[in-house]
Every structure is written in structure tokens, then in C-alpha cells.
Amino acid sequence: MDKQQKLILTINVGSSSLKFGLYNYETLEARYIGTVEIGGTGNDAFTVKNAAGAVVFQKRGLYNNTVVAFDELLQWLEKNNLVEFIVAAGHRVVQGGPEGKHPALLTDYMLHNLGKLVYLAPNHLPAELEVINIFGNTFPAIQQIACFDNSFHQHMPDCAKYYALPEKYKNMGLQRYGFHGLSYEYIMEKLAGKTAALGRKRIIIAHLGNGASMVGVKNRVGVDTSMGMSPMGGLVMGTRPGDLDPGVSLFLLKHEHLTADELDTLFSKESGLKAIGGFSDVRKLLNIELHNPDAQAAVEMFCYQAKKMIGSLAAAIGGIDILVFTGGIGANAAVIRERICKDMNFMGIEINPKSNSNGLEFISSADSRVEVKVMQTDEEWMIASHTKNLINN
């Protein structure tokens, strides 16, 4: 096989979509990038774009779960005779537990151990493992690599990592893991190529999307992050509530008599912006907020919590030199960035309204002590990079 024809497949299973990419093994340039919407509407889109961003294939159908969506992807790969060129498949695995510190080859032993961690990420790991097993059974000769989303946060100090619970729960793996690590890793890699003395900079990265979190970075190390043991904590999100007083869970269990599964569904799928404003999509909320008080309240809470988290993380890392907005909302919603940064000049954060509305990379004003940036993240490229490095060793 010609080296230029070798491909790395990346697979990123999310709560509402399955993203994938095909990358040139030698250059890590994207050949195809695609998404399968998992909405169950009957009009969900399976879209494939080429390296130039042009749509080369689109199909609509009923993709009501991860298996159906993944099967559609496998059929497309086989129909286009691409499988024979795939040398490895890299997967985003949301939770690797205390031992998930580096990308790893997905052996039977590794899969067995990941299966034991489902209780740490019950809304993500089962679907990810299902996809890994399907791919392995279909194409047993192709190596599969796990890229753990929590590994970026492995160096958090104990005071940030552990809960104030009895030791036995710590030994069971109950700790603050943090997520969106592949996104943060990509942003840090891009910053390294543009920023002098990056190791001396105090950086806060805001990955804002349907799932949202932030991280505080000092000496290039993640010191603290908003999400905890699960991706349900931290900031308010599309369908997740963010941080809650433990008493809320106790109230719902004791007085509403919810089962553990019902509580899980409430916190994973029925809370957050959807519960307050009626929609989980910030774009819809912004479109109707002028005449819809509930939508206005949802957006206000989202921006308020983000603002508060920036202050909290700045305290944890001893200040702030660079603030980066990324993710579907962070990189594309200028009005959200404006509202989050409003009245934060006491911290040295001031944005240029024109630069912000025009979607420029640098949106800080000339007087801002903090460099405020807007950057597109690329988890799929990061997965491809890790996969190539691992199979080369």
C-alpha cells in the first residue's frame, strides 16, 4: 500500500452525534470529516465533507441511537472502498479512570478494564465501548486506539482532584476527572506555536457547547477544571444542570421518590438550558429571548455561571494572562462571549466589540491586560495525532 494512501479513522461518540474523520497517515491532513446526527427525528443528517469543507455526501434518515449511526458510517466506508486503506482507528473515550493517563492500544484486557468503569460515565462509556466492539468484530485486523478525554487533567493537585469523602470512596475511583481534555490539548498545542514563553502564561480555556467546561492551566498543566467525576457537573449545559448541592439529589430521592435511573435521566437529558428556557440549543434561545422571558433567563444563567467560573479558575492559577473561547458556542456565538466578558475589566478582561462580532481570533481590546482569543478546536485531529504516535512506537 502506498504510504500516501494510508488513512487513520477517528471516531468521536457524543450524546447527540457521532463525529468521524479520515486523516492521511503521513501528513495528518484531513481527507474527510463527517457527522451523523443522533436525534431520532427521522430527518437526522449523515454528512461528509472533504478537506476543503465542501459537502460530498449527505443522507437523511432515522438515526435514533449510536449503533444505527455507526452502522451508517461503516456502510459508507465500505461503499467507497476506504476500509482497505485504514491502518488504525482512534476513539475518543470519555473516561479512562485513574489509570487512563495516556492513549492506549485497545486490547481485550483494556476493554475488560474499561467495562468496569461504566459506573463512572454511564451515559457515555457504554455507547463508546459498543462502537469499539462493533468495529473490532467487523475489522479485526485494524488496530484500535483509545484516547482518553480525562487524561489532560491527570496532574491536578490533590486539593482539586479529590472529594471530601471517606477514603474508601477515593479507592473506588470517585474523584474529579475533568473532561474535554482532547479539546484542551489541541488548543494548547496551537497556542504553543503562536505564543512566546507559553509555560509562564496563566491560561483559562472555555470549551462552551452543548456540553461545556473550563480549565485553568499554569506551567502548561491543567490545575483545575469545572467538571468533576462526570460530565454532568460544573457549568449549566444544554440538558445538564451543572453543579448541584448534594441536598438536591437527596430531596429528589426522598420526596419525589425518583429511582437512580430516573435521577440519571433528569440530570443528563432534562435539565440545564432545556429545563429553564425550553430548548437546549443556545442559538434558538438567543433567537427568541427578546419576547421569551424563560429563554432570556436560560441565557443569563449560562453567561453568569461562565463568568463566575472564570473568576474561580483565575484564583486557582493565580491570575490570568490568556482567555480562550472554543467549542460550538464559544467559537461561534459572539453575543455570548460579549456577555460573559462584560464588566470583567477589574480582572483585566476587555474585548473589542467589533473584533468580537467579526469573529476574529484576537478579540481583546488594546487596553485589555488579558489576551482574549477565539479558536476552533479539533478533537478529531488530536485523536489522529495520538493514534499515529502510538502505532509508530
Side-chain angles (χ1 to χ4, degrees), residues 76-388:
W76 181 82
L77 291 171
E78 291 183 311
K79 287 178 181 176
N80 288 276
N81 301 314
L82 291 166
V83 174
E84 62 182 296
F85 301 109
I86 297 173
V87 294
H91 298 261
R92 170 182 171 262
V93 177
V94 71
Q95 177 61 273
E99 304 305 316
K101 297 179 179 179
H102 307 286
L105 184 67
L106 279 161
T107 61
D108 289 341
Y109 177 76
M110 170 68 72
L111 287 169
H112 176 71
N113 285 341
L114 288 175
K116 294 179 180 179
L117 299 177
V118 165
Y119 71 96
L120 292 176
N123 298 305
H124 293 79
L125 259 184
E128 293 166 356
L129 293 175
E130 198 165 26
V131 163
I132 290 166
N133 284 319
I134 291 171
F135 190 90
N137 291 332
T138 309
F139 309 114
I142 299 177
Q143 294 184 88
Q144 296 191 85
I145 308 299
C147 300
F148 300 111
D149 214 21
N150 61 302
S151 63
F152 183 84
H153 309 286
Q154 64 181 286
H155 299 297
M156 288 195 301
D158 287 357
C159 60
K161 183 181 295 184
Y162 296 116
Y163 294 110
L165 293 171
E167 183 79 8
K168 67 176 182 177
Y169 297 113
K170 173 183 172 182
N171 295 335
M172 291 171 61
L174 298 191
Q175 65 178 62
R176 298 182 67 248
Y177 289 99
F179 301 94
H180 291 131
L182 291 164
S183 173
Y184 295 138
E185 193 175 359
Y186 179 84
I187 294 298
M188 287 300 297
E189 184 159 322
K190 292 305 174 183
L191 283 176
K194 301 178 178 182
T195 308
L198 187 67
R200 295 201 293 270
K201 303 293 185 181
R202 298 159 298 180
I203 304 162
I204 294 176
I205 307 171
H207 179 109
L208 306 179
N210 188 53
S213 73
M214 293 191 192
V215 68
V217 179
K218 188 176 183 180
N219 299 321
R220 297 197 183 197
V221 171
V223 173
D224 204 347
T225 187
S226 59
M227 283 180 172
M229 189 194 85
S230 80
M232 289 186 281
L235 304 168
V236 65
M237 291 168 262
T239 60
R240 301 172 230 168
D243 286 343
L244 293 171
D245 182 328
V248 174
S249 297
L250 293 175
F251 173 86
L252 294 170
L253 290 171
K254 290 181 178 180
H255 296 281
E256 292 296 303
H257 305 293
L258 297 186
T259 65
D261 286 342
E262 288 171 337
L263 195 65
D264 189 358
T265 298
L266 174 64
F267 289 163
S268 300
K269 300 177 181 178
E270 302 298 332
S271 300
L273 300 177
K274 179 181 178 181
I276 301 168
F279 298 98
S280 60
D281 191 327
V282 165
R283 293 169 298 184
K284 291 182 179 179
L285 294 170
L286 288 171
N287 286 337
I288 64 174
E289 67 170 336
L290 286 178
H291 58 270
N292 187 315
D294 292 338
Q296 184 179 23
V299 174
E300 183 178 10
M301 181 180 286
F302 183 84
C303 295
Y304 170 78
Q305 289 202 2
K307 184 190 297 281
K308 189 167 71 167
M309 184 55 64
I310 291 170
S312 174
L313 290 173
I317 61 177
I320 176 172
D321 300 302
I322 301 174
L323 172 62
V324 180
F325 287 100
T326 192
I329 298 170
N332 299 302
V335 66
I336 296 294
R337 296 192 297 264
E338 179 184 355
R339 293 181 190 182
I340 290 172
C341 294
K342 184 180 179 182
D343 297 328
M344 294 195 75
N345 54 332
F346 73 96
M347 287 182 62
I349 297 173
E350 296 183 63
I351 65 171
N352 181 315
K354 186 175 180 180
S355 299
N356 182 47
S357 61
N358 289 338
L360 301 184
E361 180 177 342
F362 293 90
I363 63 169
S364 39
S365 70
D367 296 328
S368 180
R369 297 196 310 274
V370 174
E371 186 178 301
V372 186
K373 298 169 68 74
V374 178
M375 300 176 68
Q376 295 286 348
T377 194
D378 195 339
E379 293 170 318
E380 283 68 42
W381 185 92
M382 205 70 242
I383 295 169
S385 177
H386 282 314
T387 300
K388 178 182 178 179

Side-chain angles (χ1 to χ4, degrees), residues 32-74:
Y32 296 109
I33 296 292
T35 304
V36 189
E37 297 173 351
I38 306 173
T41 65
N43 195 37
D44 307 317
F46 170 39
T47 306
V48 184
K49 297 180 180 180
N50 62 18
V55 175
V56 296
F57 180 81
Q58 188 167 67
K59 176 182 175 181
R60 293 193 176 273
L62 177 61
Y63 307 125
N64 56 355
N65 60 57
T66 303
V67 173
V68 175
F70 190 56
D71 182 64
E72 191 70 48
L73 168 59
L74 295 184

